[in-house]
Amino acid sequence: MIKARFAKSAIENEEGLNHLWIQIGPLEAVEHAEVGLQLPAGVYFGRACGGSLNKNSEGFTLLEPARVNELLVEIYTRQPIDCGWESLGVTVTYTNQHRCELSEVLTVSLSIVEAESAEAEEIHIDEEVVRKVKEAVWPPGEGVPPSGNPGFLDCTPAKQITYDPNYRSELEKQYRVEGGNY
């Protein structure tokens, strides 16, 4: 019922970015379904896109659980974290027609590597997931640059322009005619 694949086989331990493609099969006779992510310490999830979901603090609400749902979720690191293999959990919790709450869990392994290490050079790219990321319509805002590229955040400081009304360039001083009574 749940399938998940990463765009890259690893994520950098500091300021790393990856995308997780989650596929959830149709949930028959289900009115309400939630998707939660259990992430290792130092790994966070950011923007997400998918056909019918609402993002909340712990995960996502599927608006149409009776159909196949696909989610693309940004997974990232900020500060340096320990390298190695970690487990990431995807939990789908739903209420069936008998009002019983059920859940299914999928555990996905994630390799955390240093950006300059030999392991980082051997990262495998899943072209199908990358294609889905490129074709996805990402929600506006949440720190997305105007280019729409979810992988890079422009941190260039804004140029501050100050205007001094008393400033005169050399040419202005030479050729300026001061006002008088006409």
Side-chain angles (χ1 to χ4, degrees):
M1 178 183 98
I2 306 171
K3 296 178 186 175
R5 292 171 22 202
F6 285 106
K8 302 184 301 185
S9 60
I11 187 170
E12 296 81 4
N13 73 325
E14 180 179 8
E15 296 181 11
L17 177 68
N18 204 341
H19 291 85
L20 180 63
W21 178 31
I22 304 170
Q23 298 169 290
I24 301 167
L27 302 168
E28 300 299 325
V30 171
E31 294 177 16
H32 182 78
E34 299 276 333
V35 179
L37 298 176
Q38 295 77 44
L39 303 170
V43 178
Y44 307 93
F45 75 91
R47 295 181 308 150
C49 70
S52 59
L53 62 97
N54 278 339
K55 183 177 175 184
N56 56 47
S57 60
E58 285 97 39
F60 311 94
T61 302
L62 297 179
L63 301 177
E64 298 178 37
R67 68 178 190 87
V68 174
N69 282 274
E70 290 187 353
L71 311 175
L72 276 172
V73 182
E74 285 183 343
I75 305 293
Y76 63 93
T77 58
R78 292 180 185 156
Q79 287 81 22
I81 60 175
D82 293 336
C83 294
W85 286 95
E86 293 285 347
S87 294
L88 181 143
V90 179
T91 304
V92 178
T93 306
Y94 56 93
T95 306
N96 67 11
Q97 70 270 24
H98 305 294
R99 299 190 190 268
C100 294
E101 187 172 286
L102 304 169
S103 63
E104 295 193 30
V105 179
L106 174 69
T107 302
V108 184
S109 295
L110 177 62
S111 176
I112 300 173
V113 299
E114 288 189 36
E116 287 82 30
S117 72
E119 293 173 327
E121 294 175 11
E122 297 173 9
I123 292 177
H124 169 72
I125 305 295
D126 186 324
E127 295 298 333
E128 184 179 6
V129 179
V130 170
R131 182 181 52 76
K132 291 212 171 271
V133 170
K134 288 179 180 179
E135 293 172 355
V137 178
W138 294 93
E142 298 185 41
V144 181
S147 67
N149 185 343
F152 300 98
L153 180 63
D154 183 9
C155 295
T156 308
K159 184 176 180 181
Q160 182 128 12
I161 300 174
T162 56
Y163 175 72
D164 180 4
N166 298 318
Y167 172 78
R168 304 285 184 253
S169 69
E170 290 303 314
L171 285 175
E172 214 174 353
K173 289 176 188 174
Q174 188 176 358
Y175 294 106
R176 184 172 179 94
V177 177
E178 293 296 327
N181 294 333
Y182 292 102

